[in-house]
Amino acid sequence: MYKITIIAGARPNFMKIAPIIHAIQNAKNEGFNIDYRLVHTGQHYDKNMSGSFFEQLEIPEPHVNLECSGGSQAEQTANIMMSFEKELIANPADLVLVVGDVTSTMACALVAQKLHTKVAHVEGGIRSDDWTMPEEINRLVTDSITNYFFTTSETANVNLKKSGVAEDQIFFVGNTMIDTLLKQQPNFKKPQVWNDLNLSEGHYIVMTLHRPANVDEESQLKDMIDEIIAHTQDLPLVFPVHPRTAKILERLHINHPRLHTVEPLSYLEFNYLVERAKAVITDSGGITEEASILRVPCLTLRDNTERPETITLGTNELVGTNPKHLKPYLDKLFSGNWKKGNDIPLWDGQTAIRIIEVLKEMLP
C-alpha cells in the first residue's frame, strides 16, 4: 500500500487538496494500491470550517487536527513541527504532500525530510520575489527540500529550473484550486447579504484586504478605502472583513453608506458574489486566480504577484499599494475597457487527475 499524508493548514489549502482526495479515492476504486491520511495542522482557526464546510467540498473531515493555531511565526512553526513529527512517527507515509505556501507547508516538509520521507509540493515554484512576505520564505524553504514539484504554470517551471531543480522532478499539471472552483461553480450559493443589500448582477464591487502592507498601517488603509469610495461611482462595495481588519476599521471610524462590511462568507457564498460582481478589489493571490477563471475584472492592491499568469492571460491588474494609483484602473473599469482574459494553460479542472497519474507511477 502506497501511503500519502496530505497536509492542510488553512482554509484555502482544503480547496487545493479536495480534488486530490477525490482522485486518490477514484484510483483506489480502480484497484490501485494507494491510500491517504489527511492532517489538518489547525494553523488557522476558522469558525466557517465546520462539518458543512467538508460536506460542501465533498471530502471527509481530517483524520487528525493538530490544533497548532496562534503564536508568532516562529512559535507556530515550532508547534507544527513538534506535533507533526509525533503524527508522522505514529502514522508513517511513503510521501508527504504539501500544498500552497502557509507555515504548515514549510514546517511539515522539514519534518518529513528529517524523517526520511519524500515530499511533493503542489503549487511549487511560484515566486513573488518579496522576502517581506512570510509566504515567500515558506515557498523558498519548501522548494529547497522538495522531491516532486507539481506546478501551476510555465513561469513556476522556469523558477525551479533556475534554482537547480532537475527537469524530471517537475510536473506541470495545472491548478487544483481551479479544479474545485469549476466543480463547485454550479453549487455557488446566494448569501443573505445579496437580498439584504438588494444587489444585482454587475452592479457592485467585492473587496477583500488582509495583507499587513494594506491593513496594519492605519493611515494607508484609510487612504486606500477613501480612494476606492471616491472612484467607484454609485456602486455598493461589499467587504467581507477578516476579524483583524474589522478591529482596525472600527478604530478608524471608517463608514460610508456604500461601504458594507460583512462577516467572512463561506466558499460557495463568496464565489457567488465574485462571479456576479462588476469587479473584485483584493490583495489575495487565490482570489486573483478565481476571478480570472470567472472572467471578472480584478484589481490587486500589491506591488508584486506570484501569479503573473493572472495578469498576462487573466483579468487581473497589479495596481500596487499606493492609493493614488487606483483611479486610472477604476476609470478603465467604468469606461468598459477592461481586458476580457484568456484561457490559462491546464487550468481546466483536470489537474488532480494529472497529479494522481504521476503518483501512480511511484506505486510499488
Side-chain angles (χ1 to χ4, degrees):
M1 176 68 72
Y2 191 78
K3 292 181 182 170
I4 303 171
T5 290
I6 301 175
I7 305 295
R11 190 160 76 136
N13 289 170
F14 286 94
M15 306 349 168
K16 293 170 187 177
I17 57 100
I20 297 171
I21 288 174
H22 297 145
I24 290 173
Q25 287 168 334
N26 289 341
K28 208 173 157 182
N29 293 341
E30 288 163 11
F32 286 94
N33 206 13
I34 189 169
D35 206 358
Y36 76 94
R37 181 172 172 82
L38 176 55
V39 174
H40 180 11
T41 65
Q43 178 185 327
H44 287 173
Y45 171 73
D46 188 332
K47 67 179 181 189
N48 283 322
M49 276 180 52
S50 59
S52 62
F53 170 80
F54 297 103
E55 278 164 37
Q56 282 181 359
L57 291 177
E58 297 167 57
I59 58 171
E61 294 208 26
H63 293 88
V64 64
N65 184 335
L66 304 180
E67 298 182 353
C68 295
S69 64
S72 69
Q73 291 275 335
E75 286 168 331
Q76 194 167 67
T77 303
N79 286 340
I80 294 167
M81 287 183 73
M82 289 189 295
S83 298
F84 183 56
E85 182 181 54
K86 290 182 189 135
E87 157 65 28
L88 193 55
I89 288 169
N91 299 282
D94 298 292
L95 180 74
V96 169
L97 186 144
V98 296
V99 297
D101 50 27
V102 297
T103 302
S104 301
T105 309
M106 172 186 71
C108 293
L110 282 165
V111 168
Q113 287 294 8
K114 292 199 171 197
L115 291 175
H116 312 298
T117 306
K118 287 195 163 28
V119 173
H121 184 196
V122 174
E123 218 181 64
I126 66 173
R127 298 286 183 270
S128 69
D129 296 319
D130 178 357
W131 284 33
T132 66
M133 291 172 65
E135 297 95 329
E136 186 71 356
I137 306 303
N138 295 340
R139 292 176 198 125
L140 288 163
V141 173
T142 304
D143 284 348
S144 70
I145 56 169
T146 286
N147 303 94
Y148 311 110
F149 300 85
F150 294 110
T151 61
T152 58
S153 68
E154 284 293 359
T155 308
N157 300 345
V158 169
N159 291 337
L160 291 169
K161 286 173 200 166
K162 270 190 199 161
S163 68
V165 175
E167 190 110 25
D168 62 1
Q169 293 176 273
I170 301 169
F171 304 92
F172 176 30
V173 290
N175 191 334
T176 58
M177 185 82 132
I178 302 309
D179 287 17
T180 293
L181 183 78
L182 296 176
K183 181 177 181 178
Q184 295 297 340
Q185 194 172 3
N187 305 324
F188 290 170
K189 192 172 147 196
K190 186 191 289 186
Q192 183 60 43
V193 68
W194 182 273
N195 294 331
D196 291 349
L197 300 179
N198 201 20
L199 299 177
S200 61
E201 192 158 341
H203 295 287
Y204 62 91
I205 288 173
V206 174
M207 287 170 59
T208 81
L209 294 172
H210 73 283
R211 292 193 181 276
N214 284 321
V215 302
D216 282 5
E217 180 55 57
E218 296 189 359
S219 61
Q220 161 81 5
L221 179 62
K222 186 171 189 336
D223 290 351
M224 190 67 89
I225 291 178
D226 286 347
E227 204 65 19
I228 292 168
I229 289 167
H231 302 294
T232 46
Q233 298 187 3
D234 58 349
L235 293 191
L237 302 164
V238 185
F239 187 3
V241 180
H242 190 282
R244 196 159 143 270
T245 312
K247 284 179 190 146
I248 300 168
L249 290 175
E250 216 170 281
R251 265 204 311 277
L252 291 172
H253 304 295
I254 292 177
N255 49 53
H256 186 276
R258 286 194 296 110
L259 180 66
H260 305 283
T261 56
V262 300
E263 287 273 312
L265 298 165
S266 74
Y267 176 76
L268 298 180
E269 290 175 324
F270 180 74
N271 279 305
Y272 182 97
L273 284 187
V274 169
E275 187 179 28
R276 290 159 180 79
K278 183 171 184 69
V280 178
I281 300 175
T282 187
D283 57 10
S284 156
I287 291 169
T288 67
E289 295 178 325
E290 292 163 339
S292 286
I293 294 302
L294 296 171
R295 300 289 203 264
V296 175
C298 184
L299 293 77
T300 297
L301 306 183
R302 286 174 55 186
D303 295 317
N304 48 61
T305 178
E306 61 286 343
R307 294 167 170 89
E309 58 277 13
T310 64
I311 295 167
T312 54
L313 295 170
T315 55
N316 184 26
E317 291 283 12
L318 203 59
V319 174
T321 51
N322 182 339
K324 293 296 170 203
H325 291 171
L326 251 172
K327 184 181 184 298
Y329 289 96
L330 288 167
D331 288 348
K332 189 198 278 192
L333 174 72
F334 283 98
S335 67
N337 292 324
W338 203 267
K339 58 188 176 181
K340 299 290 178 226
N342 297 298
D343 291 342
I344 299 176
L346 301 189
W347 291 25
D348 57 3
Q350 304 298 307
T351 295
I353 292 167
R354 288 188 278 268
I355 290 173
I356 298 311
E357 286 306 314
V358 173
L359 295 181
K360 280 180 188 171
E361 298 292 314
M362 298 174 197
L363 294 180

